[in-house]
Amino acid sequence: MSESSTIHRAGRPASRESRRLARSQRSAAKFGYIRRSIPAVELLHNEAAEIIEANAETILQEIGIEFRRDPESLRLWSAAGADVQGERVRIPRGLARQLLRTAPREFTLHARNPARNVQIGGNATVFAPVGGPPFVADLDGGRRYGTLHDLHNFIKLAQMAPAIHFSGGCMVEPMDIPEGKRHLDVQYAFFRYSDQGCEGTPETPGHAADAVRMAALVFGAEFVDSHCVLLGNINSNSPLTFDGRMLGALRAFAARNQGTLIVPAVLAGAMGPVTPAGCMAELLAETLAGMALTQLVRPGAPVIMGSFVGAISMRTGAPTFGTAEATQMIFATAQLARRLGVPVRSGGSLCSSKVPDAQAAYESAHTLLPTLLAGVNLVTHAAGWLEGGLVAGYEKFVMDIDQLAMMQALAGGMDVSARGQALDAIREVGPGGHFLGCAHTQENFETAFHQSNIADYSSYEQWSSEGRLTAEQRANAVWKRMLAEYEDPGLDPAVDESLLAFMRERRAVLTDTLDED
Amino acid sequence: MSESSTIHRAGRPASRESRRLARSQRSAAKFGYIRRSIPAVELLHNEAAEIIEANAETILQEIGIEFRRDPESLRLWSAAGADVQGERVRIPRGLARQLLRTAPREFTLHARNPARNVQIGGNATVFAPVGGPPFVADLDGGRRYGTLHDLHNFIKLAQMAPAIHFSGGCMVEPMDIPEGKRHLDVQYAFFRYSDQGCEGTPETPGHAADAVRMAALVFGAEFVDSHCVLLGNINSNSPLTFDGRMLGALRAFAARNQGTLIVPAVLAGAMGPVTPAGCMAELLAETLAGMALTQLVRPGAPVIMGSFVGAISMRTGAPTFGTAEATQMIFATAQLARRLGVPVRSGGSLCSSKVPDAQAAYESAHTLLPTLLAGVNLVTHAAGWLEGGLVAGYEKFVMDIDQLAMMQALAGGMDVSARGQALDAIREVGPGGHFLGCAHTQENFETAFHQSNIADYSSYEQWSSEGRLTAEQRANAVWKRMLAEYEDPGLDPAVDESLLAFMRERRAVLTDTLDED
């Protein structure tokens, strides 16, 4: 017999009854951040993890890390006992790890709505949307440069999405605003249109400082100095290099007790070896150095170990995602971070595809599910990412948030309470019966399963009569509906005015280009 | 900074060099079945597994299982000490588990080419294609009833696919052959066009016996009696029921020492409770009963615990796949089977989507990756499944086998040999360098990463100039190329003639309908 004949015989007859049940279902509310009930999956054997850790220390001690165009970082390292020659810093075995002992294992990232605070670390997992693309795309307008209007849209979508717990970084670059002043509009947009937590733009030390100043206007200066209200995403220039802008931003955030993400972007074969174990040693060395530096700036400053991993295509040199190698590195990063005792950022819904087709979905799923299972604490780029991060996709965004809601259900683990065991239902239905009408189903149908907003489960005939829409086409209607239903969380008019005044003041002194820092 | 700006700066410049390297890359050869180097992932806590096991025993003892229209099964159960009333068999706590002690933990499934034998159980994982759909679909011809020609095509594709290790069951029903005689053409097609192992059609006891007789013509009668050369897929009628045809087929296979798969098809909310823990107890009870019966027929007969799991949509009653609940059940099935000491079949690349779009890919990936990580031994429906198993999709097939090859790479684990550690490469390249040209990359680029046949990694401009093809459109060319490159494994003419003679003989006595058994 085949399963398909079995399920199509058994599944359909009850459809009228289930439709009746479903009519009373409510739409999904906003979820809190995830506290995982399933174990963190570890694919590395202990010996493999130990080898990678030993190699990272060898890299730090023998090869060292370049800290470019930032004398203050060199001074801090020298004072801490590292061997500094020119911009090359060789860090004695074990020193970075020892410096990291002051970093918190877990911390609270505050939102302007305290109900949306999130925990970073431990068994918490937080989903955040795509950050950084210069382009947007949707089915109606195609691919085009992003604007401030697009950024507002994505902030609103993230605010509405049930399983987006944190607004992350700049979801799309507003290319209609000059680069030197853009950070003001970006930061304002996060504070104005969402009450979730957000990142601070870290493009230059000056921009980082502006982000912290704007946060102080929202949260109060005193609160900001003792609480983490922003995260700054600090990318190293792999292999084994940090540049001056990123180092200045790192110091600006850490000095004000704001969180930093130390994130090497390592594509195996380009910024790292073609073998994942080699990439992991390099990545661990870079993150150890960057994270330790935050503790030299301010012991106790919140810091997160990050990894952004993929591989290059050996055919074209282009970035690839969702491959076996990337999956291995996502699992390994989380495992190494746990061993180190720091929160971890990794994974997401990454893909290379230009459009939200099967390629995009395969690659995104093979990034996201490992991310969840690995126990990653902060999942950036979890929704909307297309084309190697060059594009924020409207349809992709709502497809991904559908998957995030499922990941959240998965993280909840299997319910083995009396309700979950359902022995009485099995007794009631008995051999050969059907469960749809039984008491247990009636009692639990509203919360039984996550209901996808995107997937189509209708019959072939019905699907055909409704126009044979693909997932992408159905998603087009979903994001429009979400924007139409967006609820403004409001912002205290006095705070709003102080932010706008600050922006006017800064615009008057900033140039249009990024040159100043 | 954003990762996308980092990777697009770093990844591209080397593309000319990588293209040069890639020109000498060979196309993928056939892989052997998987011996996993990564641990089997277990999401259930011990206490949860124990609760489910205790509930399964309660179900067997208190509610019992119906063995319908098969007096011989009832006789066997009665003799074994079960409480048989009518067709209801109540199995005392622990009896089924005790009977299963004679079942092999691991066994060899023989192919007519011994190099393609596969191990079932232990740390082995074997991928097999979709089985059972009455329809096929491709981009050119749309959705239509399957024919014998389509079946031949899918057998050839499975023979060619690098990471399909076993041909599985009837990949598409040849609807142009009368149902009562179809099994002959199906079995012949497997033996004629592929030298991989395959299943035997189990629609009726008579068909099962014909499959074993045809296998005896290929392998020799004596060999067949002492070696497993066929698997029969035995579906229970969940909840808690086996029908006469399946029971007769089960006995026909087990009596001849051939393998059986005992597979409840449980969609939560229809054939099982809306809660996964309830479904798992029901599924464990059914599989325990079915597997124990094989040991009553012939102690030592190879048997596999199966699960085919999903949930119904609470909106329409239709089957859904790739949801959090299904993922939980795939992990739990494999964990329960390991605790029981039997091989396990589960998962696949299941989806509800009508077309190979993003929905299909999300759902398939969220089925396949858990299947691999869970340590499932035999993965049926791993390629080609669409529309809840009603359709075998040509494009979907080649998209899925691309994913299977990646799963195979993932199962190999992270290489931490000196080659994998790549410390010399990191020393050679140093801070700020690029890895593409280094010695380590030159030495390893051929085997470095699995190269997708489907994914497009080119730039947006290049992709646009090449017609903006989706993954589905690219896949259309791939299956056609595979069929054009198909290599006939050949079949001994004497064996071929004996099979054809047997078929002529049987066709003369069989009716066109399935009524006889």
Side-chain angles (χ1 to χ4, degrees), chain A residues 3 359 362 400 456 474, chain B residues 354 359 362 381 400 474:
Chain A
E3 283 79 28
Q359 177 184 343
Y362 278 124
D400 285 336
D456 178 278
R474 291 190 297 274
Chain B
K354 267 62 77 181
Q359 178 184 344
Y362 278 123
H381 307 314
D400 285 336
R474 292 189 297 273

Side-chain angles (χ1 to χ4, degrees), chain A residues 72-315:
Chain A
E72 175 62 10
S73 292
L74 299 174
R75 193 192 64 73
L76 287 167
W77 274 118
S78 187
D83 169 24
V84 179
Q85 297 182 22
E87 293 184 321
R88 183 79 64 103
V89 177
R90 291 185 175 81
I91 302 168
R93 234 181 170 79
L95 175 60
R97 198 169 277 267
Q98 185 193 314
L99 291 170
L100 262 177
R101 288 199 193 134
T102 53
R105 299 181 78 89
E106 195 170 335
F107 62 92
T108 302
L109 183 48
H110 292 265
R112 72 177 174 90
N113 176 352
R116 299 212 171 167
N117 292 352
V118 293
Q119 279 301 105
I120 303 288
N123 71 348
T125 291
V126 171
F127 292 139
V130 63
F135 298 98
V136 295
D138 64 44
L139 260 185
D140 310 296
R143 180 184 187 267
R144 59 196 185 271
Y145 276 116
T147 63
L148 188 59
H149 178 68
D150 289 308
L151 176 63
H152 291 174
N153 280 345
F154 278 101
I155 289 172
K156 291 173 181 176
L157 289 171
Q159 169 81 1
M160 297 290 285
I164 294 276
H165 314 107
F166 174 69
S167 292
C170 184
M171 298 157 197
V172 55
E173 287 287 325
M175 304 295 278
D176 50 346
I177 313 282
E179 208 176 0
K181 301 172 177 171
R182 193 182 289 164
H183 64 292
L184 300 169
D185 297 276
V186 172
Q187 207 66 53
Y188 175 77
F190 276 115
F191 289 139
R192 173 64 193 83
Y193 297 110
S194 175
D195 59 1
Q196 296 184 138
C198 63
E199 296 184 12
T201 52
E203 288 303 314
T204 69
H207 289 195
D210 280 348
V212 178
R213 279 182 218 129
M214 289 175 78
L217 296 174
V218 174
F219 291 90
E222 206 174 322
F223 187 88
V224 167
D225 198 57
S226 53
H227 297 81
C228 177
V229 302
L230 286 178
L231 287 182
N233 195 74
I234 307 298
N235 286 123
S236 54
N237 278 359
S238 304
L240 308 178
T241 307
F242 287 87
D243 76 22
R245 276 192 185 153
M246 286 287 106
L247 289 169
L250 178 154
R251 290 189 291 100
F253 284 115
R256 295 298 303 274
N257 199 37
Q258 298 309 299
T260 46
L261 292 148
I262 311 298
V263 191
V266 177
L267 298 181
M271 305 85 135
V274 286
T275 48
C279 290
M280 292 315 300
E282 177 185 314
L283 187 142
L284 182 57
E286 288 178 21
T287 51
L288 275 170
M291 291 191 293
L293 179 61
T294 65
Q295 301 306 300
L296 291 175
V297 172
R298 177 164 170 163
V303 63
I304 301 171
M305 173 172 164
S307 87
F308 177 88
V309 287
I312 59 164
S313 161
M314 287 282 133
R315 289 186 192 140

